[in-house]
Amino acid sequence: MPDEHDLTRRDLLVAAAFVPLAALTSPAQTGPLALTSGQMKTLEAFIDRLIPTDELGPGAVEARAQVYIDRVLAGPNANEKAQFLEGLEAVNAYAQRTQGAPLADLPAEKRDLVLKAIDEDTAQGLPQGRQFFNRARRLTLEGMFGDPYYGGNGAFAGWDLIRYPGPRPAVDAEMQRMDAAPAPYHHSAWGTQYK
Amino acid sequence: MATTLKPVDVAVIGLGATGGVAVLPLARAGLKIAGIEAGTWMDPHRDFHADEIFNNIRREVTTSPKAQREIPTVRTGPGEKARPAAAHPMMNAIGGTSIHYWAQSWRLKAWDFKTRSETLQRYGAVAIPAGTTLEDWPLTYDELAPFYDIVEDEVGVSGVAGNIGGKLTGRGNPFESPRAKEYPMPPLRGSGFTDHMAETARKLGWKPFAPPAAINSQPRKGRSSCVYHGYCGSGGCHVSAKGSTAVTTILEAQNTKNLTIFDKAHVTRIETDGNGRVTGVRYLRNREEFFQPAKVVLLAGYTYENSRLLLLSKSKPYPKGLSNNHGQVGRHYFGHWNSFVTALFPHDINTWYGLPAQGATCDEWADDSFDHSGMGFIGGCSLHVYTERHPIEGAAMNTFGRAPGWGSAWKKFIHDNAGRQSNTYIQTNTFPYETMYLDLDDEITDPLGDPVCRINTGGMRENERRSTQYAHTKMEQWFQAAGAIQVVKTPPFVPGVSTHAYGGTRMGDNADTNVVNRWGFSHEAPNLGVLGASVMGTSGARNPTLTAQALAWRTADYLVKNWKSVSS
């Protein structure tokens, strides 16, 4: 059938994207959109080890990558929500089974053991573990290094980490020299309210 | 019951890179045109953003409803179940994929038009790749050159000539075929990194040059010059520096009042009469069916849709599909081989900003630029290094075996190296083969129940594999000479669904092996023309768009000059 309402998928996505954004401005008043609060704790415990806060600066949780992930699973990536959450729960069960506690209750070193086993595909009883790991890593990168409009990259921590100088409206030849280090341009492409 | 619309002279199906060009000479000649397009206008303010998630991950500027409802399936060949490709790589919009493409605007070389005869003459029959259906084009470079000149001016191409009238300029590409004059605009500027790569190539004795692009290097015809901000690929140009047909030829054609655009129109069939002439176009818009009568129909969809619509348009004179009584629709299809070599440098190279068309290109290892005697292949690859790197892409970089994939050690690695990796764009001369073709899928349909296009890739090709691997060693040499500390050569692979898809309605004098004649009109249905890379029989080692556009202009020009004989 042709378009039923003359609405492109883009219109729908842009319209949808504005709803959770309003919610984000007051995060204390609202819970996660796609995850339960327990799942959110597990996710944070996981991505905190993927990109930890350390002497180089904020990690994934501090940069709110989990907010990005929760929001895309509630919206544009809803079709992978069930599979993603199943994977997350399986990781948590694996942590309980092998380390004696849910992932969120484990110290960093023990969480690292869990992640390492999954990444290296040696985790017993976790056949989809590697697939979940790769997907979680990919979404964490999107959350940490994407435009803050989508909820992550808080205070532009991701862009500063890799020294990406920001989406300037126009760039001159000097800024493109190999030895140039343009000052960080901390702006979302969607407006100064996103940061 | 379809509503029959007021008849027009010409119905153009698709207002993308080629249909969007062809409407201009038709409109200027006073012909009344219906431009029937599945997409609609895009709005630079609403649709074009400096945002990697929007452009490159959600692909908001490249996805569109019709294309995504008819994603081609892919298989190697008969006996194998075809699987849907991940997405359709092209978009429906006024301007089509010319809105978000890299805008590299190359001419093919004289050799590309005569590859078979040149190969036979220089290397003998043994050098012709086994199983290829390669033919010389029915026209030469010299015949197409005036149309390249016209299109370069109309869409606005920047570049630097390497060969004007047979004399090398000492700048530009010394391997190019002769041009009549300089480009309409000087080339885009280089970046520090691409200048460094060019300087390195010169030290190797190569002749690097700034490649041509349909992007303003200076303000021209009311459009701004490029701002080099780093969000060109898969994104629309917010300052309209990119010469998409939506901001160039289509607007000009509208100004004549001879072009009427019917947007959001999903063409379902091309209709024919009992004598085998086409009578018009059937389409759906908002669930309503329309029939647009036309004296001439120009089919200007993408390669997959061109073959598909012909195969779907069965009628009494064409029981196997329109213009397919010789069984050639879908044949001689091929996807362009392109591949990657990446390098890690010990210092920042600062390629975040810029655009993929800002680069340094070398043509020493492409086409027939070098002696292939005893090499075991013909053709080769153009080598192109470029700028524009996005932050997620940068963070997701290959760690070159130097760091784990997560944790603090990885974090340190990307902190240091995300700005130190160079990608390349390596395009291979690709040829058609017997076992490579398009047909209709026997299981998967679009929501209307029409089968989608099925790509039969035919599997690995020794000729292209060898030429690509050879070029990769040259790319490695170039990077190493430039100071790279590590180079990774990704093995070449057979393309599935491709943004550079050729053939299916090949152009040639012989009706037994080609769908359209040397002017782009059907050998069988005389008032049906076909536009796009689907008429091309070779790819060159470079992007197809400008050649497809020059051919489209030439077909339209032929139609204007022979209006009476073609239209009646």
Side-chain angles (χ1 to χ4, degrees), chain B residues 348-360:
Chain B
D348 291 348
I349 59 172
N350 193 20
T351 56
W352 299 110
Y353 295 134
L355 63 160
Q358 176 186 47

Side-chain angles (χ1 to χ4, degrees), chain A residues 34-44 85 88-89:
Chain A
L35 279 65
T36 64
S37 49
Q39 288 166 336
M40 184 53 103
K41 276 188 193 161
T42 309
L43 179 65
E44 288 180 5
L85 293 181
L88 185 68
E89 295 289 4

Side-chain angles (χ1 to χ4, degrees), chain B residues 359-435:
Chain B
T361 304
C362 283
D363 245 3
E364 272 77 7
W365 317 108
D367 315 310
D368 206 31
S369 298
F370 58 101
D371 185 359
H372 288 65
S373 301
M375 304 289 288
F377 63 85
I378 58 169
C381 301
S382 60
L383 308 180
H384 175 66
V385 293
Y386 60 93
T387 59
E388 179 161 325
R389 186 168 172 81
H390 306 131
I392 298 167
E393 171 198 6
M397 72 183 288
N398 177 359
T399 54
F400 290 83
R402 291 165 182 254
W406 52 281
S408 280
W410 170 80
K411 199 177 167 197
K412 175 81 168 77
F413 178 85
I414 59 159
H415 169 72
D416 292 341
N417 293 296
R420 297 179 172 187
Q421 183 193 351
S422 172
N423 297 325
T424 52
Y425 191 48
I426 296 177
Q427 302 185 70
T428 305
N429 292 96
T430 310
F431 305 109
Y433 293 86
E434 273 297 338
T435 52

Side-chain angles (χ1 to χ4, degrees), chain B residues 176-414:
Chain B
E176 75 185 7
S177 295
R179 303 173 51 85
K181 54 186 178 186
E182 190 44 272
Y183 277 93
M185 283 175 281
L188 294 163
R189 72 170 189 241
S191 79
F193 174 66
T194 64
D195 289 348
H196 168 67
M197 288 299 289
E199 186 54 38
T200 303
R202 278 189 282 273
K203 283 180 189 157
L204 289 170
W206 303 358
K207 298 194 166 57
F209 58 95
I215 295 173
N216 280 1
S217 59
Q218 55 193 34
R220 185 169 187 270
K221 291 191 180 180
R223 290 188 293 116
S224 160
S225 58
C226 177
V227 295
Y228 299 87
H229 78 328
Y231 289 88
C232 184
S234 302
C237 183
H238 64 302
V239 299
S240 295
K242 192 186 290 188
S244 95
T245 55
V247 297
T248 57
T249 49
I250 292 173
L251 293 185
E252 293 250 355
Q254 278 194 311
N255 288 341
T256 66
K257 313 271 190 240
N258 291 326
L259 168 65
T260 305
I261 295 177
F262 298 84
D263 66 347
K264 301 175 190 166
H266 177 151
V267 174
T268 52
R269 295 292 184 273
I270 302 170
E271 300 290 341
T272 38
D273 64 17
N275 300 321
R277 294 182 64 83
V278 299
T279 55
V281 174
R282 190 174 293 273
Y283 66 83
L284 285 166
R285 189 176 199 273
N286 300 340
R287 294 202 237 189
E288 252 187 281
E289 191 172 39
F290 296 90
F291 177 65
Q292 174 62 66
K295 291 178 183 148
V296 172
V297 172
L298 295 181
L299 172 57
Y302 187 53
T303 292
Y304 302 123
E305 282 65 52
N306 279 359
S307 279
R308 176 174 183 249
L309 188 58
L310 293 177
L311 292 172
L312 288 173
S313 297
K314 294 188 173 98
S315 62
K316 212 164 184 189
Y318 301 107
K320 294 189 296 176
L322 179 54
S323 195
N324 193 32
N325 289 343
H326 292 81
Q328 292 302 300
V329 173
R331 309 303 304 196
H332 320 294
Y333 161 79
F334 55 102
H336 211 177
W337 283 49
N338 57 63
S339 55
F340 313 95
V341 174
T342 55
L344 185 66
F345 283 81
H347 52 76
D348 291 348
I349 59 172
N350 193 20
T351 56
W352 299 110
Y353 295 134
L355 63 160
Q358 176 186 47
T361 304
C362 283
D363 245 3
E364 272 77 7
W365 317 108
D367 315 310
D368 206 31
S369 298
F370 58 101
D371 185 359
H372 288 65
S373 301
M375 304 289 288
F377 63 85
I378 58 169
C381 301
S382 60
L383 308 180
H384 175 66
V385 293
Y386 60 93
T387 59
E388 179 161 325
R389 186 168 172 81
H390 306 131
I392 298 167
E393 171 198 6
M397 72 183 288
N398 177 359
T399 54
F400 290 83
R402 291 165 182 254
W406 52 281
S408 280
W410 170 80
K411 199 177 167 197
K412 175 81 168 77
F413 178 85
I414 59 159

Side-chain angles (χ1 to χ4, degrees), chain A residues 1-4 6-11 13-14 17 49-54 56-59 68 72 76-77 111-112 115-116 119 133 137-138 141-142 144-147 149-150 159-182 185 189-190, chain B residues 40 42 46-47 49-54 57-65 69 91 189-193 196 227-229 231 238 264 284-288 347-350 352-354 358 387 389-392 394-396 405-408 410-412 414-420 447-448:
Chain A
M1 300 301 290
D3 282 337
E4 286 188 28
D6 271 2
L7 259 185
T8 63
R9 183 169 155 259
R10 179 173 313 103
D11 293 328
L13 282 170
V14 169
R49 300 317 299 155
L50 287 179
I51 313 179
T53 294
D54 58 18
L56 273 174
Y68 170 85
V72 296
N77 295 29
R111 282 184 277 150
D112 282 351
L115 264 69
K116 191 164 184 293
D119 181 28
F133 185 96
R137 181 179 184 276
R138 172 68 198 182
L141 294 185
E142 291 179 12
M144 177 116 182
F145 301 98
D147 193 291
Y149 173 79
Y150 302 94
W159 290 353
D160 286 347
L161 172 62
I162 58 172
R163 300 178 293 129
Y164 170 63
R168 285 179 159 77
V171 172
D172 63 26
E174 278 297 305
M175 283 184 213
Q176 285 202 283
R177 290 164 49 112
M178 268 210 290
D179 58 1
Y185 182 78
W190 299 85
Chain B
T40 186
M42 296 195 86
R46 187 193 66 187
D47 297 324
H49 304 282
D51 178 352
E52 183 181 15
I53 290 178
F54 190 84
I57 292 175
R58 295 190 185 171
R59 306 195 73 84
E60 296 298 333
V61 191
T62 62
T63 54
S64 44
R69 287 192 298 252
M91 81 175 300
R189 72 170 189 241
S191 79
F193 174 66
H196 168 67
V227 295
Y228 299 87
H229 78 328
Y231 289 88
H238 64 302
K264 301 175 190 166
L284 285 166
R285 189 176 199 273
N286 300 340
R287 294 202 237 189
E288 252 187 281
H347 52 76
D348 291 348
I349 59 172
N350 193 20
W352 299 110
Y353 295 134
Q358 176 186 47
T387 59
R389 186 168 172 81
H390 306 131
I392 298 167
W406 52 281
S408 280
W410 170 80
K411 199 177 167 197
K412 175 81 168 77
I414 59 159
H415 169 72
D416 292 341
N417 293 296
R420 297 179 172 187
L448 299 172

